[in-house]
Structure formats: C-alpha cells, structure tokens
Amino acid sequence: MIYEDPVWLGNHIRALTAVNEAESEHPWNVEDAPKKFITAQLRAIVGIELIITRVDAKKKLSQNRAEADIPGVIAGLKGCGHAHMATQIGQSRARITK
C-alpha cells in the first residue's frame, strides 16, 4: 500500500522519532519543529506499507574486519549494552583463527 495521508504519515513519523530519540539526553519531538515545516515535510513524504512473507537472515559478526579492529568492536558493543553480541564475535573469531 502507498500512503500520502498526512495523518497516517504523521503518526508513523512521530512513532519513529520517539523510538530513535528515546535515549537522547534531550529527545527531539516532531512538535518541536514549526507547524508549517511539519506540514510541508508530510506533503513531501510517501509512506509504503509492505507485507513481509519471508525473512532470510545471516549473522554478520565483523568477519571482514582486521584482527586489530576486533577488540574495539567488542568494547564498543559491550559499552552499548550488547554484551551478548560481543561474546558471539569473540567466539566466532576464536573459531576462525583456529
């Protein structure tokens, strides 16, 4: 489905903004922008609704990174609260280097 209805689009833009701004120190809100700006932007956006019938997935665990980069990748993931992913990268690298 294709949507150009500003109410439908606005609801989705507000929801996406709330999710993406949730962890910001000073979260931005769509209503922080001038109403005229919001109206113009919503006229320029086309929403697309897709029906997903299948998902094909593959783990991407920084296999293409140089060995020297891996400690930084792991530290960054742990720092962002993704310790499980950091562990998986460490384990996959251990298997690769055997």
Side-chain angles (χ1 to χ4, degrees):
M1 296 280 307
I2 295 176
Y3 295 91
E4 296 180 277
D5 173 40
V7 173
W8 189 92
L9 294 166
N11 290 336
H12 287 279
I13 295 297
R14 286 174 181 83
L16 284 168
T17 300
V19 167
N20 287 292
E21 293 288 325
E23 294 184 26
S24 297
E25 185 176 338
H26 303 287
W28 187 80
N29 182 315
V30 172
E31 276 65 34
D32 292 342
K35 187 169 177 66
K36 187 175 178 180
F37 174 80
I38 296 168
T39 301
Q41 293 303 303
L42 290 175
R43 277 197 309 263
I45 296 171
V46 175
I48 300 173
E49 184 176 33
L50 303 173
I51 297 171
I52 299 171
T53 59
R54 186 178 94 197
V55 175
D56 292 327
K58 186 176 192 178
K59 282 186 181 178
K60 180 82 175 78
L61 299 173
S62 297
Q63 300 95 316
N64 63 332
R65 304 299 308 171
E67 192 62 37
D69 292 344
I70 298 306
V73 170
I74 291 172
L77 287 168
K78 287 180 179 176
C80 294
H82 298 290
H84 180 70
M85 287 174 38
T87 300
Q88 287 187 328
I89 289 174
Q91 290 171 347
S92 76
R93 292 305 277 213
R95 284 191 298 273
I96 291 170
T97 56
K98 284 185 180 180

